[in-house]
Amino acid sequence: MNFNSIKSIYKFEMARALRTIMQSILAPVVSTCLYFIVFGAAIGSKISELDGISYGAFIIPGLMMLSVMTTSVNYAAFGIYLPKYTGSIYEVMSAPISAFEVIIGYVGAAATKSILISFLILLTATAFVSFDIRHPIWMLVLLIMTGSTFSLFGFIIGLWASNWERLQLIPLIVITPLVFLGGSFYSTSMLPGFWQTITKLNPIFYIINGFRWSFFGTSDVPIGVSIFFMAAFLLLCIAVVSIIFRTGYKIRN
Amino acid sequence: MNSIGFIEHILFQCRVSGFLKYMISIQNISKVYDQNLKALEEISLEIEPGEIFALLGPNGAGKTTLISSICGLTRQTSGLIKVSGFDTLEDYKKTRSLIGLVPQEFPLENYESVIETVKFTRGLFGKSSNPSYIEKVLKSLRLWEKRSTPIIALSGGMKRRVLIAKALSHEPEILFLDEPTSGVDVQLRKEMWDLIIELKKRGVTVILTTHYIKEAEMIADRVGILNRGRLLLVEEKKELIKKFGKKTISVELKEKLHSIPEKIAEEKVYLSEDRHSIFFEVSNTKNKMSLSDTIKMIAETGLSINDINTTESSLEDIFLEIIAEEEMR
């Protein structure tokens, strides 16, 4: 394992975020405050408790998942797309580094950034609502798994994208709607029967609910099902990235 | 020591003791892109340790594809490439760690500082941090004062130097320079030539592609000419000039001629447009006519000489002639 190479990519990508530190910190803090003002205070006050949890606390795992999923995809996609766009990808391709090591560097940095931001959201949430985390270790494990999986997915999008429009296409028209419709801000029990069935077709619904379980010890689906969906998506992403690197698709030639 | 370590040790010893004859060995490589576009056809080439090899060829000849295949940026369709005895596909980590590449364009991230981007390359190539070495490289390329400047604020020439600094940052044994002096001013070009010669003295093998034939003429040990994906010839520069070069002896006469005198008509001669000069074309190998022979022949015709000049064909003339011959086939 070429640790120096991995460290180099990781540090380089982390430095990119540090250059825009105010934007990286302020944006999630401001948007979290807005969510809590709009959903927690304005709308939440009209909603009774869900499974004994106040609505304000109920949406915290959803907010964290919304953030970790979208930022993981965006950071990782941008991280690999930018060197492709500028041409500086030549360095990575001509370096003595395996595809696996390249992935660890880029995906690791994207996941780290998105996980740190989700913790920032958690910290901001404490200013608006009181809550306990029932299974903190599981919360951390699920957060890392989600961050890594969606960073890997973002990495694939970044490799596939041949222009800026394509880079934004999947996050905008697939990820964001699925996260919003995956129970980030509501419980399926609040939906009519037909829409409950539709929601259960959304894989992200299982991931968000698994994460909510780690907070409150209760969710719409069993934790095992959540982990199964997350692991399946992770393996699928690993398989796609392996094929891309083995065939050189969109990279070599 | 495991088996791989043992092989590495043996190869290192071979290189040190001069037994490893070729730093790069290319055997029958071909590259076919999509739509059956043949970029390289059955190229075979050997490059010795410590030499400066210039790869010449017109646009689209396949120079960059050949370099990319060796560096791992593209995979050859067939054939074998070995760097320092290692296969570039099977032992890619070993071969790539030996190579530094300076690309043709400016593929740099604009908002990175000079020193950070150079440090990044060193780390990427698996080397641990060495601030004093990085300082030495930046100083040798006159970039030390600009080390904290973002790339976007640099001139074209400085960006080219940054690319060279990046390529040298991991102490490569082989340096590829793809059109290194395109778009740089005369002073910087001269500095780069000096740097290349200095690298050669340190034992670095340098392979450069260039449009400036003068560049190859100034610094290369050997020259390869590539056209339409085929390697037309590989020759030592001096040998190439000797073999294909021509000398022209121009004799300016006091009188105007109507035709070439019979006594010299058998030689390869032609008249100038103003008919005041005779040009003798002398091949470096076939016709070894000397200056005194020329003077003697003119004297025998009874003509009076006003002045004599000699000019030798440059590498550029030879290159153009070889390419033109190839195009006519």
Side-chain angles (χ1 to χ4, degrees):
Chain A
M1 187 73 83
N2 195 339
F3 290 108
N4 278 334
S5 304
I6 296 170
K7 195 173 86 179
S8 196
I9 293 175
Y10 184 86
K11 273 177 68 182
F12 195 81
E13 286 303 304
M14 291 304 286
R16 203 197 294 281
L18 290 175
R19 276 200 300 271
T20 53
I21 187 81
M22 289 312 286
Q23 186 192 335
S24 304
I25 291 173
L26 271 182
V29 170
V30 169
S31 59
T32 306
C33 292
L34 289 173
Y35 276 119
F36 274 108
I37 292 165
V38 175
F39 289 103
I43 299 172
S45 60
K46 307 275 186 278
I47 298 171
S48 57
E49 286 190 343
L50 296 164
D51 300 325
I53 308 155
S54 73
Y55 185 70
F58 181 85
I59 63 169
I60 296 169
L63 275 176
M64 286 177 74
M65 279 286 109
L66 174 70
S67 166
V68 84
M69 286 177 186
T70 50
T71 52
S72 292
V73 169
N74 285 333
Y75 277 137
F78 187 76
I80 191 68
Y81 179 74
L82 193 67
K84 268 176 60 184
Y85 179 74
T86 61
S88 62
I89 190 80
Y90 86 92
E91 272 195 296
V92 178
M93 303 315 295
S94 62
I97 180 169
S98 69
F100 182 63
E101 290 156 348
V102 170
I103 292 167
I104 294 176
Y106 279 105
V107 170
T112 306
K113 286 184 270 186
S114 64
I115 289 166
L116 287 176
I117 288 170
S118 70
F119 274 118
L120 202 60
I121 289 169
L122 190 67
L123 198 67
T124 311
T126 57
F128 291 89
V129 65
S130 63
F131 59 92
D132 291 318
I133 300 170
R134 186 77 69 87
H135 306 289
I137 303 291
W138 271 110
M139 189 274 272
L140 198 62
V141 169
L142 291 169
L143 195 62
I144 292 170
M145 266 184 90
T146 310
S148 308
T149 306
F150 280 79
S151 295
L152 205 51
F153 184 57
F155 188 79
I156 294 166
I157 293 170
L159 283 179
W160 165 78
S162 49
N163 55 46
W164 291 99
E165 192 189 7
R166 276 190 167 196
L167 189 71
Q168 292 297 323
L169 196 68
I170 305 288
L172 278 178
I173 68 165
V174 180
I175 302 295
T176 308
L178 284 182
V179 176
F180 270 92
L181 300 173
S184 298
F185 301 108
Y186 58 86
S187 165
T188 45
S189 59
M190 296 164 78
L191 297 173
F194 172 74
W195 289 105
Q196 281 190 25
T197 312
I198 293 290
T199 301
K200 283 174 184 170
L201 294 174
N202 178 359
I204 288 176
F205 162 74
Y206 298 93
I207 298 171
I208 292 173
N209 268 281
F211 193 60
R212 185 164 286 137
W213 170 86
S214 72
F215 270 72
F216 310 117
T218 173
S219 75
D220 291 345
V221 289
I223 180 67
V225 178
S226 292
I227 291 174
F228 169 78
F229 269 93
M230 209 178 289
F233 190 38
L234 177 64
L235 289 174
L236 180 71
C237 291
I238 290 172
V240 172
V241 169
S242 305
I243 292 167
I244 286 173
F245 272 95
R246 209 170 52 243
T247 57
Y249 170 77
K250 296 259 188 179
I251 303 171
R252 293 177 210 276
N253 303 324
Chain B
M1 190 185 292
N2 61 23
S3 58
I4 294 171
F6 178 72
I7 293 166
E8 273 181 2
H9 176 73
I10 294 291
L11 282 168
F12 177 76
Q13 289 301 325
C14 286
R15 215 161 45 233
V16 168
S17 56
F19 281 120
L20 187 70
K21 198 173 177 194
Y22 303 119
M23 190 51 121
I24 297 171
S25 170
I26 300 167
Q27 293 159 34
N28 303 314
I29 73 151
S30 295
K31 174 68 188 174
V32 183
Y33 286 111
D34 292 342
Q35 285 123 26
N36 212 26
L37 176 72
K38 285 182 185 170
L40 297 174
E41 279 185 64
E42 296 287 318
I43 303 271
S44 291
L45 173 67
E46 270 93 25
I47 295 169
E48 291 172 19
E51 76 168 315
I52 300 176
F53 187 88
L55 203 52
L56 309 179
N59 283 335
K63 304 186 295 289
T64 301
T65 303
L66 182 58
I67 286 182
S68 298
S69 302
I70 302 167
C71 297
L73 294 174
T74 188
R75 287 180 190 146
Q76 67 267 30
T77 311
S78 61
L80 182 72
I81 304 173
K82 285 190 171 186
V83 172
S84 194
F86 295 108
D87 187 328
T88 53
L89 296 180
E90 285 182 9
D91 300 307
Y92 70 94
K93 283 197 176 185
K94 291 190 192 81
T95 61
R96 291 182 196 174
S97 65
L98 299 171
I99 296 173
L101 169 66
V102 181
Q104 213 175 104
E105 311 294 335
F106 296 122
L108 293 161
E109 290 207 14
N110 279 334
Y111 298 99
E112 278 301 312
S113 70
V114 170
I115 195 158
E116 286 308 319
T117 194
V118 175
K119 278 183 186 171
F120 168 70
T121 307
R122 183 176 171 86
L124 187 65
F125 276 72
K127 293 270 180 176
S128 50
S129 169
N130 187 343
S132 62
Y133 178 76
I134 297 292
E135 184 180 338
K136 197 174 132 193
V137 169
L138 291 181
K139 279 182 174 167
S140 73
L141 288 158
R142 290 196 292 119
L143 285 168
W144 183 243
E145 302 303 318
K146 297 275 180 186
R147 63 189 179 280
S148 303
T149 308
I151 302 291
I152 197 166
L154 300 179
S155 66
M158 279 190 182
K159 283 180 185 168
R160 181 71 65 196
R161 279 188 256 164
V162 171
L163 287 171
I164 295 175
K166 279 164 83 70
L168 294 176
S169 68
H170 60 97
E171 301 160 62
E173 289 187 27
I174 304 164
L175 183 68
F176 281 93
L177 298 146
D178 198 359
E179 307 278 353
T181 53
S182 61
V184 302
D185 60 35
V186 180
Q187 189 198 349
L188 182 57
R189 191 176 302 164
K190 174 74 175 58
E191 282 174 16
M192 284 196 186
W193 292 351
D194 291 343
L195 177 76
I196 292 168
I197 291 164
E198 178 59 33
L199 288 170
K200 178 188 160 72
K201 281 180 193 163
R202 281 192 246 155
V204 177
T205 307
V206 180
I207 296 103
L208 68 117
T209 71
T210 182
H211 277 305
Y212 299 109
I213 314 292
K214 186 83 183 158
E215 191 162 81
E217 198 167 341
M218 292 294 286
I219 58 175
D221 298 314
R222 281 198 307 154
V223 171
I225 297 179
L226 202 62
N227 190 35
R228 292 180 179 176
R230 293 192 301 121
L231 194 58
L232 303 182
L233 65 86
V234 176
E235 198 70 75
E236 276 196 23
K237 182 183 66 188
K238 286 176 191 164
E239 196 60 30
L240 186 68
I241 292 171
K242 197 171 149 193
K243 208 186 263 185
F244 294 92
K246 289 171 193 143
K247 188 191 282 180
T248 304
I249 303 170
S250 75
V251 181
E252 194 186 320
L253 303 166
K254 284 183 178 165
E255 55 271 69
K256 191 174 178 181
L257 290 179
H258 294 289
S259 60
I260 294 166
E262 254 182 51
K263 285 192 176 175
I264 57 170
E266 281 179 13
E267 300 299 326
K268 209 169 178 182
V269 292
Y270 52 95
L271 279 176
S272 64
E273 274 184 21
D274 64 2
R275 297 184 174 267
H276 267 288
S277 298
I278 300 175
F279 297 111
F280 288 78
E281 204 173 83
V282 186
S283 161
N284 279 350
T285 49
K286 293 171 197 165
N287 181 357
K288 293 203 171 177
M289 195 166 74
S290 67
L291 195 60
S292 59
D293 291 337
T294 311
I295 295 167
K296 200 172 159 191
M297 283 171 81
I298 295 286
E300 281 172 8
T301 60
L303 296 167
S304 312
I305 297 170
N306 198 26
D307 196 8
I308 293 183
N309 280 308
T310 62
T311 51
E312 281 192 66
S313 53
S314 64
L315 192 57
E316 184 158 349
D317 300 325
I318 296 166
F319 168 76
L320 291 172
E321 198 173 308
I322 289 170
I323 294 293
E325 272 177 26
E326 173 67 13
E327 295 291 323
M328 283 172 72
R329 274 182 201 163

